[in-house]
Amino acid sequence: GSTIANIAYDDLPTDTYRCLRFIGGVIPQNDNAHLNFYFRTGGSDEVSNSYSYGLRMNYESNNSYTTAEQNEGRMKLVENAGLQQGEGHRLDLLIQMRNGTAQASDLGNFCMWHCQRIDASGNWRGGTGTGWYDSGCHPNGFKIQMGSGQITDYNYALYGLLA
C-alpha cells in the first residue's frame, strides 16, 4: 500500500464480532520505530494511562529478553524495526473488545499476539505479547500506529470472530 499515518477502524459491530484478528505486516518510515496499539471509542483514541502490556522476544543463540509496562498511554506491540524492504513488523494480533451486555465484569479490552521484527541491521526477533486496557469503556474501534513517523508499506487482513 501507499504511505499512511495509521491503520484505524471505527464503528465496528462489537455485538456481532466479539473478537477481531489482525494479521499482517508494516514497514515504518523511520528506523527503530515501535508499533503501538490504541483502542478507539466513537472515533477517538483511548489514551488514558490505563494500558498494561508485556512482550517477550527471542533471537539467535537461544537468547531472549522481556519488557513489561503498566499505566501507559498506549499498548506497545513490537519494538524497533527497520525501514528497508524486507525489514519492518509482522503481526498476528487477537483483539477482544468489551461488550456491554456480555462483559459487565470488565473481562474485555485485551490483546494477545505473536510477532516478528527485522531491525535496521537485518536482525530478526520473534516474540509473543499480551496487553490489557483497564478501563470501563466499551470501545468500538482500534488503531495501529508507529511510535514515530508513518507507515510506508503494509499488507494485512482483518477478520471478525462471531459471538
Side-chain angles (χ1 to χ4, degrees), residues 86-157:
E87 296 177 342
H89 300 97
R90 289 124 174 106
L91 187 67
D92 182 351
L93 172 66
L94 179 70
I95 305 163
Q96 209 281 348
M97 291 186 225
R98 184 176 184 202
N99 174 285
T101 57
Q103 292 157 345
S105 59
D106 200 14
L107 294 175
N109 298 349
F110 66 87
C111 296
M112 295 182 279
W113 61 94
H114 301 281
C115 59
Q116 299 180 51
R117 70 174 176 87
I118 294 86
D119 67 20
S121 300
N123 297 313
W124 173 88
R125 305 287 187 261
T128 59
T130 63
W132 175 49
Y133 186 57
D134 183 14
S135 168
C137 77
H138 294 75
N140 61 353
F142 70 91
K143 180 171 81 175
I144 295 173
Q145 179 174 317
M146 305 311 305
S148 65
Q150 296 184 319
I151 297 170
T152 59
D153 203 0
Y154 56 92
N155 182 10
Y156 68 89

Side-chain angles (χ1 to χ4, degrees), residues 45-66:
D45 296 348
E46 293 287 343
V47 294
S48 69
N49 292 333
S50 297
Y51 289 96
S52 300
Y53 61 87
L55 178 63
R56 180 179 178 89
M57 299 298 290
N58 303 301
Y59 59 101
E60 73 276 350
S61 303
N62 297 318
N63 289 300
S64 65
Y65 65 90
T66 303

Side-chain angles (χ1 to χ4, degrees), residues 14-90:
T14 57
D15 286 335
T16 302
Y17 298 109
R18 200 62 56 84
C19 296
L20 301 170
R21 188 167 183 189
F22 176 95
I23 302 171
V26 299
I27 296 179
Q29 181 179 35
N30 301 330
D31 272 335
N32 300 317
H34 296 192
L35 188 62
N36 297 322
F37 176 92
Y38 302 86
F39 282 108
R40 291 173 59 84
T41 304
S44 297
D45 296 348
E46 293 287 343
V47 294
S48 69
N49 292 333
S50 297
Y51 289 96
S52 300
Y53 61 87
L55 178 63
R56 180 179 178 89
M57 299 298 290
N58 303 301
Y59 59 101
E60 73 276 350
S61 303
N62 297 318
N63 289 300
S64 65
Y65 65 90
T66 303
T67 182
E69 299 293 340
Q70 188 168 327
N71 300 322
E72 294 289 308
R74 47 85 180 111
M75 191 182 304
K76 187 190 322 177
L77 297 175
V78 194
E79 294 179 322
N80 58 304
L83 60 78
Q84 300 300 319
Q85 290 293 349
E87 296 177 342
H89 300 97
R90 289 124 174 106

